[in-house]
Amino acid sequence: INRGDGTGGGELGNPSAAAGEDTLSETAGSEVSQTFTSFVAEASQIKELISSLTSVEQNARRVCVIIDKYQEQPQLLDPHLESMIQPLVEHLRDGASLTSPQLFSVCSILYIIAKVRGFKTVIKFFPHNVSDLEPCLALLSAQDAADHEKWEIRYILLLWLAILVIIPFSLDTVDSSNKAAAPGQTANDESVGLID
């Protein structure tokens, strides 16, 4: 019973009881968080399949089937998104070293994650450095626009490009072909020289 003067024997007047309640609520919060992350039963399997690029096509199909099951409750994937997307994006960054089937598999998995969770959530995990603009454009321009079988590659590269182009930067910092130009000469000066 609380007497109102802070010295009562009830829980309201007892600061240690209030502290105990805080501890209980923190413990309950962490248990809920741990329970929330455990709803994706296949999380470790997905991460293992993504990390091994030896049998990419089989892994990609299996990952796509697993992630597709979470279409009705995509927020369950949120605690695992970064650990799923980061290895795939690193492979995408090194796209020139990937074979065509590997690039297709990486982009297929990224597409399924974007389809299930939403592209606005997924794009946050894509690299957004100015130095990534040229490799992204090179990969995109190397794709065959007439190839309708591998549209996921173009979709993912365009998503990546969408986040890259909103970064404010000077074109001089991007143009690697300009490195051979004379000091003080910009890419714009070079293009004006071509027109004249």
Side-chain angles (χ1 to χ4, degrees):
I1 298 173
N2 187 7
R3 287 189 245 166
D5 60 359
T7 60
E11 288 184 7
L12 294 176
N14 187 349
S16 63
E21 289 175 7
D22 288 341
T23 307
L24 284 175
S25 65
E26 288 174 10
T27 306
S30 66
E31 287 174 5
V32 168
S33 176
Q34 289 172 351
T35 304
F36 185 72
T37 59
S38 69
F39 281 129
V40 181
E42 303 93 346
S44 60
Q45 183 183 6
I46 291 171
K47 293 171 192 171
E48 183 180 314
L49 289 169
I50 288 172
S51 67
S52 65
L53 278 175
T54 54
S55 55
V56 182
E57 291 181 45
Q58 289 178 331
N59 290 354
R61 278 188 237 120
R62 180 70 185 134
V63 169
C64 292
V65 167
I66 292 170
I67 291 175
D68 213 28
K69 292 192 302 187
Y70 292 94
Q71 251 184 334
E72 289 186 23
Q73 293 184 327
Q75 69 277 7
L76 296 176
L77 294 171
D78 284 355
H80 306 285
L81 280 180
E82 186 173 6
S83 60
M84 282 190 244
I85 294 172
Q86 286 303 321
L88 293 169
V89 169
E90 288 304 316
H91 289 301
L92 194 60
R93 267 184 154 167
D94 301 330
S97 65
L98 291 176
T99 64
S100 183
Q102 287 175 329
L103 181 63
F104 177 67
S105 296
V106 166
C107 290
S108 295
I109 295 171
L110 284 169
Y111 166 72
I112 288 294
I113 295 171
K115 179 184 96 170
V116 170
R117 188 56 192 107
F119 76 91
K120 289 182 182 178
T121 303
V122 170
I123 202 168
K124 295 175 192 173
F125 299 103
F126 277 53
H128 46 278
N129 299 324
V130 176
S131 60
D132 293 321
L133 183 63
E134 268 189 305
C136 179
L137 284 172
L139 273 174
L140 190 57
S141 64
Q143 301 307 309
D144 182 14
D147 185 6
H148 301 293
E149 298 292 320
K150 297 183 179 177
W151 59 269
E152 290 96 336
I153 297 173
R154 291 187 301 278
Y155 176 83
I156 292 301
L157 291 173
L158 286 170
L159 271 183
W160 189 18
L161 188 61
I163 193 112
L164 290 172
V165 296
I166 61 173
I167 302 169
F169 59 88
S170 171
L171 287 177
D172 297 338
T173 61
V174 179
D175 191 13
S176 65
S177 65
N178 193 30
K179 299 204 188 319
Q185 184 180 15
T186 64
N188 192 25
D189 296 337
E190 212 172 278
S191 62
V192 169
L194 291 174
I195 296 172
D196 292 337

